[in-house]
Amino acid sequence: MSDITASRTELASLAQELDAADELSGLRSRFVLDDAVYLDGNSLGALPASVPGRLTDVVHREWGELRIRSWDESGWWTAPERIGDRIAPLVGAAPGQIVVGDSTSVNVFKAVVAAVRMADEDSGSAADRRDEILVDATTFPTDGYMAESAARMTGRTLRPVTPAEVPAALSDRTAAVLLNHVDYRSGRLHDLPALTAAVHEAGAYAVWDLCHSAGALPVGLDEHGVDLAIGCTYKYLNGGPGSPAYLYVRRDLQPRFDSPLPGWTSHAAPFAMRPAYEAAAGAPRGRVGTPDILSMLALEAALDVWYGGGDGGSAGAGVTTGAVTIDAVRAKSLALTDFFLRCVAAYVPEGRVESITPLAHAERGSQIALRCDDAGDVMKRLIHRGVIGDFRHPDVLRFGFTPLYVTFADAERAARVLGETLGEAG
């Protein structure tokens, strides 16, 4: 037997052993999956098996039969806060601080403008006004677009800096800082506790984008004193395409949260239809317009997976019945990505790929990004062979590892197919 064959046999056998010992392995049956290796959950999570039945009930009974009564009788009106409280433990927040609704982009705008307005209150006078917003220079484009618009609206200067440059860039001019917890392109995990502390020491407000960390690793919003945070729910939270985003406002800041989008559902008395706006107390003041009920309740059903439900009525033996801890998810995420990198090193011809995701666990999210010549074409061929990742311009292959349903056998197969594909191309 050749060394290559021995290595493949060894790694395939090890993948089976790791899967057999995986305490989260039973969760895979709670998702609608096929024979493909799905490593694009960092863009769109797989469909939880419980969602179709829940939506059928919402459409046929709650909407079709109860109709408008469902705003009260089916809990539609309170869904944004109720579902926010279900997300809260997954990002380290106590209840009453998260409201679900709108898109990530809209919530970024709300959070940044509100942060600047709180900084204005702190300054007390125009002469002492903090006139600068720092934004992650490596951020997903929409965050930058929204931060730039927020800066124009509030009369601030927007200054892009990398997260590593933030401590040195902070000054008494800084009003707010918008950062990504995990870089969407490279998978680098930034130091939320240290950067939040540095922002606070400078007297500014920290706004964090959790799109690529919520549901994949511990965040600790309350523990680390984060001021405001936003995130999507269609990645590691598996809420579905276009599922609503969420907004976190730390409890002690909620009375000061001044939204630039004061919609009727965030009014203290929304059904009084008063011409003058008066903000609701607590998390509801982050709301804007009428909630998107169908996608919101699909998200609520998807979150059942985390709380011992969500088997769609077909869960088999071995399915975890208790709540899933984010610490267990993080441990598996790191094990999966370590194993994938080991398999890549064994299978991929030398010099064909380069990982741009940090090796250090403290600096790694739940994805592996590989720089590769002709990455776009390579990813197309991988997808044709049943390994679903994605491509980021100009030369990055991204593989997202969702621990709730990705297996070690998936990781081994993906690396093996990648090696075969690049070997053929070479």
Side-chain angles (χ1 to χ4, degrees):
M1 183 182 294
S2 69
D3 290 342
I4 293 176
T5 303
S7 176
R8 289 183 176 181
T9 301
E10 175 190 2
L11 289 171
S13 177
L14 178 56
Q16 290 182 343
E17 293 175 14
L18 291 169
D19 282 330
D22 175 22
E23 65 179 284
L24 302 181
S25 62
L27 295 171
R28 184 179 173 89
S29 66
R30 300 185 188 176
F31 292 87
V32 178
L33 296 163
D34 51 27
D35 292 334
V37 175
Y38 190 65
L39 301 182
D40 209 0
N42 54 331
S43 285
L44 177 64
L47 171 66
S50 62
V51 171
R54 175 64 178 126
L55 280 181
T56 295
D57 182 61
V58 171
V59 170
H60 288 285
R61 185 181 62 85
E62 295 185 4
W63 179 13
E65 297 176 13
L66 295 177
R67 293 178 288 273
I68 201 166
R69 290 163 53 195
S70 278
W71 286 105
D72 291 323
E73 296 180 26
S74 300
W76 289 1
W77 183 258
T78 56
E81 294 76 45
R82 182 178 71 246
I83 301 171
D85 284 347
R86 300 200 88 197
I87 292 173
L90 306 181
V91 292
Q97 300 176 99
I98 293 179
V99 64
V100 173
D102 305 311
S103 66
T104 304
S105 303
V106 171
N107 285 324
V108 166
F109 183 74
K110 285 188 258 181
V112 173
V113 172
V116 172
R117 288 176 174 177
M118 288 190 286
D120 277 347
E121 285 185 354
D122 296 341
S123 297
S125 68
D128 296 326
R129 192 179 82 152
R130 292 171 175 261
D131 61 1
E132 188 173 76
I133 299 171
L134 301 184
V135 64
D136 184 346
T138 63
T139 191
F140 190 76
T142 195
D143 287 27
Y145 305 155
M146 287 294 172
E148 195 278 331
S149 180
R152 282 190 287 112
M153 178 178 175
T154 58
R156 261 57 179 192
T157 299
L158 186 68
R159 183 180 173 195
V161 295
T162 67
E165 295 169 335
V166 165
L170 290 164
S171 71
D172 58 6
R173 294 184 56 197
T174 310
V177 183
L178 173 62
L179 293 166
N180 284 263
H181 197 191
V182 174
D183 185 288
Y184 80 99
R185 186 181 289 106
S186 70
R188 176 178 290 276
L189 172 65
H190 298 301
D191 192 341
L192 180 147
L195 288 170
T196 301
V199 171
H200 287 168
E201 177 139 359
Y205 289 87
V207 182
W208 283 93
D209 182 330
L210 310 179
C211 284
H212 284 268
S213 58
L217 53 90
V219 177
L221 292 178
D222 287 353
E223 177 185 358
H224 303 302
V226 169
D227 302 306
L228 303 114
I230 50 86
C232 66
T233 61
Y234 47 77
K235 301 181 189 295
Y236 297 106
L237 298 181
N238 308 296
S243 58
Y246 57 89
L247 169 68
Y248 165 90
V249 182
R250 201 177 69 219
R251 191 180 309 280
D252 62 301
L253 296 179
Q254 289 174 3
R256 300 177 58 204
F257 180 81
D258 182 8
S259 174
L261 300 172
W264 77 281
T265 72
S266 65
H267 196 285
F271 296 100
M273 304 299 174
R274 296 171 184 160
Y277 182 76
E278 177 187 351
R285 67 171 52 197
R287 295 171 63 149
V288 182
T290 305
D292 186 343
I293 291 300
L294 295 183
S295 61
M296 191 166 291
L297 297 186
L299 167 62
E300 185 173 32
L303 292 171
D304 284 346
V305 173
W306 292 89
Y307 296 99
D311 61 10
S314 60
V319 174
T320 304
T321 57
V324 179
T325 69
I326 198 67
D327 289 333
V329 167
R330 176 58 169 166
K332 183 177 176 182
S333 165
L334 292 172
L336 278 169
T337 48
D338 279 345
F339 183 65
F340 177 70
L341 287 171
R342 177 178 174 182
C343 292
V344 167
Y347 294 156
V348 174
E350 187 174 354
R352 291 292 278 118
V353 300
E354 173 196 0
S355 177
I356 61 172
T357 304
L359 291 176
H361 285 182
E363 299 175 5
R364 187 194 309 168
S366 198
Q367 74 177 51
I368 296 296
L370 302 176
R371 182 168 286 125
C372 174
D373 291 339
D374 301 320
D377 182 61
V378 170
M379 183 53 69
K380 289 178 183 178
R381 285 184 282 153
L382 288 176
I383 292 171
H384 181 72
R385 297 183 62 174
V387 174
I388 316 299
D390 67 11
F391 158 69
R392 284 292 177 264
H393 186 79
D395 58 359
V396 173
L397 302 170
R398 289 199 321 169
F399 301 95
F401 291 81
T402 304
L404 298 181
Y405 54 78
V406 172
T407 68
F408 290 92
D410 287 336
E412 188 274 337
R413 178 182 162 193
R416 175 164 36 86
V417 172
L418 175 62
E420 293 168 356
T421 300
L422 292 175
E424 293 165 0

